[in-house]
Amino acid sequence: MPLLEEATLTGGDPILTVPIVIIGNGPSGICLSYMLSGYRPYLSPEAVHPNPILHSKLEEARHLSIVDQDLEYLSEGLEGRSSNPVAVLFDTLLHPDADFGYDYPPILHWKLEQHHYIPHIVLGKGPPGGAWHTMEDSMLTISFGDWMELPGLKFKDWAASKRRSIKSDRVMPEEIACYYKQYVKVMGLQKNFRDNTYITSVSRLYREQDDEDKSQVNEDISTQHLQMKKEDVQTSLVKKNWEVRGYQRTTDGSQVPFCLFAENVALATGTFDSPGRLQVEGEEFPFVFHSMSDFGAAISKGKLRGKVDPVLIVGAGLSAADAVLCAYNNNIPVIHVFRRRVADPSLIFKQLPKKLYPEYHKVYHMMCTQSHAVDSNLHSAYTSFPEHHVLCFKPDMKCVLQSASGLKKIFKFSIALVLIGSHPNLFFLKDQGQGIGHIANQPITCKGNSIEIDPYTYECTKEANLFALGPLVGDNFVRFLKGGALGIVRCLASRQKKKHQLIVERGGEDGVP
């Protein structure tokens, strides 16, 4: 089905405006669509939360869905692995005391209340699941399968129904991607999703609702409208709404442009758009890669078969560790370069239990024991270079490294793999979104400069009616991004209720302030 149906405004025809457009169809966008579709979480009849204070608060309004309750009151005093209080609240309701090693069932059950449906559309570049469809298939997820699931459909139940064998609590990205894609179908959310869409601009429209402006609108705007039931879309002249432009790629490869209007926009793009770069000389050479998929392709094509120079891997996160494991398992020697000390407490390996993540602790053990600082010679299989950084790449496939003390070293390599994280690409926003982060005029990153939001509504503090959730606001784990959906839906539902009350008080007049 095409995303949009072309319609030219003529005469006095109104412009169709959807209440909210969601950009990104990964787990953040899917979860938000689920709750916008009218699914509401309630405290289960027999549920008892292990936190007595929180349970007492929940009992006070047991008859209300969590969406209709005071999220600030409920989340007060809670602690967890997210800096966003609603994310911590919703996680403890879905996974009580998970960080203490318990496997308690959720204390919530879900009801579909169709009168709470808020019309929306979810735009994504590929099938539902987002970046999970492009992740390396041979690696395991860092989180347990249960923590990757979305409300209303247990991952293990889905896997059993598909006769898929889940051999451990951690699963492969391919399984998770398939689960997310099927989740949209099982929950009946397909009508809200449009795949193969690429956003080119999201901008504000400031239009006055006088006759002169109406005339200007009719003369200048040729647009398309959503294939949705007319009663599902609020009809109004555009006033301070968002204009979302882009194109949809069809099966024959052609691009069909579209333009739509939205009262609200939710950013759920994740952070896998642009891989982090060293910004050093020679990084643009074709033998310098920035993704595991490129590295895997080189191995598959036999480019690293036999006796070859070492692969140079840059980075100290899990992606770099995956690359080390991949090279090690294929008998490819590795030079591993990273800026931090091996004893740095902020290294991700320090936060992972050895029994659950033995492969990553194997890498960490090599980082510590097979260091160039311990033995100045290169080891045959793996050598680490802690507290080093890349100065430049040479055209003859050599690399210049520099230590913290300033000492320079030159090594020959076969392929360089730079895995130092990734960043969202918000080029479609004004100033590429640099005005909405915690640090003014700096690019948005999931760690150092996430989007600044109201902690209970997830609305951008610097741009009204623009929301963000997931990694864009620092919630990099699926178990925490669900709180963003809760905050946004509660905010929109509350505003919708207030708007309805105003109309009733005014005797049912059509206008809204």
Side-chain angles (χ1 to χ4, degrees):
M1 185 197 318
L3 168 66
L4 303 164
E5 188 177 273
E6 186 170 356
T8 303
L9 297 177
T10 57
D13 290 345
I15 298 173
L16 296 176
T17 302
V18 67
I20 181 168
V21 167
I22 303 167
I23 300 176
N25 65 353
S28 297
I30 296 172
C31 189
L32 180 52
S33 176
Y34 175 78
M35 296 189 69
L36 288 170
S37 296
Y39 287 94
R40 289 291 186 267
Y42 287 84
L43 185 65
S44 296
E46 306 300 325
V48 177
H49 196 280
N51 182 325
I53 298 176
L54 176 58
H55 185 75
S56 176
K57 292 179 180 180
L58 293 168
E59 286 287 358
E60 294 173 10
R62 175 180 279 274
H63 63 290
L64 294 177
S65 79
I66 304 300
V67 173
D68 297 315
Q69 297 188 40
D70 185 341
L71 300 183
E72 184 172 2
Y73 172 64
L74 291 178
S75 59
E76 183 181 11
L78 297 178
E79 296 181 353
R81 292 167 59 192
S82 170
S83 59
N84 296 312
V86 176
V88 174
L89 167 66
F90 212 26
D91 178 65
T92 195
L93 297 179
L94 295 170
H95 307 285
D97 283 353
D99 286 333
F100 295 103
Y102 296 103
D103 189 23
Y104 295 134
I107 65 166
L108 301 177
H109 71 283
W110 294 82
K111 295 181 181 180
L112 176 57
E113 300 175 345
Q114 293 181 340
H115 61 284
H116 286 312
Y117 174 74
I118 297 177
H120 62 281
I121 188 167
V122 185
L123 306 177
K125 296 177 182 178
W132 286 94
H133 290 280
T134 62
M135 292 183 188
E136 182 68 24
D137 291 339
S138 61
M139 304 304 172
L140 293 171
T141 60
I142 187 67
S143 296
F144 300 128
D146 290 351
W147 290 359
M148 311 296 290
E149 66 190 22
L150 298 178
L153 181 62
K154 288 185 172 297
F155 177 77
K156 288 181 179 178
D157 291 346
W158 169 82
S161 70
K162 299 296 179 181
R163 297 183 179 180
R164 292 174 180 263
S165 176
I166 304 300
K167 298 180 181 178
S168 68
D169 289 330
R170 293 169 61 206
V171 294
M172 291 185 177
E174 179 187 8
E175 297 286 343
I176 297 299
C178 188
Y179 164 78
Y180 290 146
K181 185 177 180 180
Q182 291 296 316
Y183 178 93
V184 171
K185 293 182 180 179
V186 172
M187 295 301 169
L189 308 178
Q190 305 101 305
K191 69 174 184 178
N192 305 311
F193 282 73
R194 299 296 184 272
D195 305 341
N196 303 314
T197 57
Y198 297 79
I199 308 302
T200 55
S201 72
V202 176
S203 57
R204 280 283 199 186
L205 292 178
Y206 294 93
R207 302 185 186 280
E208 299 299 329
Q209 288 186 320
D210 55 28
D211 292 337
E212 180 180 349
D213 188 65
K214 288 179 184 178
S215 174
Q216 187 67 32
V217 168
N218 294 332
E219 289 175 6
D220 291 353
I221 296 183
S222 173
T223 186
Q224 296 85 6
H225 62 79
L226 300 173
Q227 285 193 338
M228 304 174 74
K229 292 182 179 179
K230 194 168 183 178
E231 59 267 26
D232 285 346
V233 183
Q234 179 182 352
T235 301
S236 66
L237 282 170
V238 177
K239 181 186 179 184
K240 297 185 178 180
N241 285 330
W242 293 99
E243 179 188 74
V244 181
R245 289 185 176 273
Y247 61 89
Q248 184 175 34
R249 195 183 298 277
T250 60
T251 53
D252 63 3
S254 59
Q255 298 177 2
V256 180
F258 67 83
C259 173
L260 57 91
F261 300 101
E263 296 174 1
N264 304 279
V265 168
L267 301 175
T269 60
T271 61
F272 280 89
D273 288 324
S274 302
R277 302 184 70 86
L278 297 171
Q279 305 296 338
V280 299
E281 180 184 346
E283 194 172 5
E284 73 283 356
F285 288 136
F287 46 79
V288 180
F289 298 160
H290 293 83
S291 73
M292 274 293 295
S293 59
D294 290 339
F295 183 43
I299 293 176
S300 299
K301 293 176 182 178
K303 292 183 177 180
L304 300 173
R305 194 172 295 151
K307 189 174 182 180
V308 295
D309 290 317
V311 168
L312 178 73
I313 298 174
V314 183
L318 296 180
S319 294
D322 285 339
V324 170
L325 289 169
C326 184
Y328 189 86
N329 293 334
N330 284 278
N331 298 313
I332 302 169
V334 173
I335 293 176
H336 188 190
V337 180
F338 46 96
R339 288 178 176 270
R340 299 183 187 179
R341 297 177 293 110
V342 291
D344 191 325
S346 65
L347 283 174
I348 185 64
F349 310 101
K350 298 278 191 178
Q351 305 169 36
L352 303 178
K354 289 184 179 180
K355 289 185 179 181
L356 295 178
Y357 304 95
E359 74 278 28
Y360 289 133
H361 279 277
K362 175 182 178 180
V363 173
Y364 181 58
H365 179 73
M366 291 194 298
M367 290 167 64
C368 296
T369 61
Q370 294 178 227
S371 166
H372 190 261
V374 176
D375 184 349
S376 59
N377 296 316
L378 288 181
H379 297 269
S380 59
Y382 172 95
T383 307
S384 69
F385 285 80
E387 298 183 83
H388 280 71
H389 66 275
V390 176
L391 276 184
C392 66
F393 297 102
K394 298 292 187 179
D396 57 354
M397 302 178 79
K398 291 182 179 178
C399 177
V400 180
L401 305 181
Q402 186 172 36
S403 67
S405 64
L407 183 64
K408 297 179 182 178
K409 307 177 182 71
I410 299 177
F411 294 99
K412 186 155 179 49
F413 61 91
S414 56
I415 282 178
L417 189 56
V418 179
L419 297 170
I420 55 173
S422 56
H423 308 298
N425 190 348
L426 301 177
F427 70 93
F428 49 80
L429 293 177
K430 180 183 177 182
D431 298 327
Q432 300 185 5
Q434 293 191 22
I436 57 177
H438 285 271
I439 304 173
N441 303 318
Q442 291 295 318
I444 298 298
T445 62
C446 62
K447 294 181 180 179
N449 188 33
S450 59
I451 294 176
E452 185 177 331
I453 56 168
D454 179 287
Y456 303 103
T457 67
Y458 285 74
E459 185 174 25
C460 296
T461 58
K462 299 173 183 176
E463 189 69 74
N465 304 108
L466 181 66
F467 297 83
L469 70 164
L472 292 175
V473 298
D475 287 330
N476 298 305
F477 293 104
V478 173
R479 55 183 282 207
F480 291 116
L481 61 80
K482 305 163 195 173
L486 172 63
I488 293 172
V489 171
R490 190 196 185 286
C491 177
L492 294 181
S494 177
R495 290 179 182 177
Q496 194 176 61
K497 186 176 181 180
K498 289 179 181 178
K499 185 182 292 187
H500 178 71
Q501 289 174 341
L502 278 174
I503 293 175
V504 171
E505 290 171 1
R506 292 184 175 187
E509 62 184 89
D510 294 331
V512 293

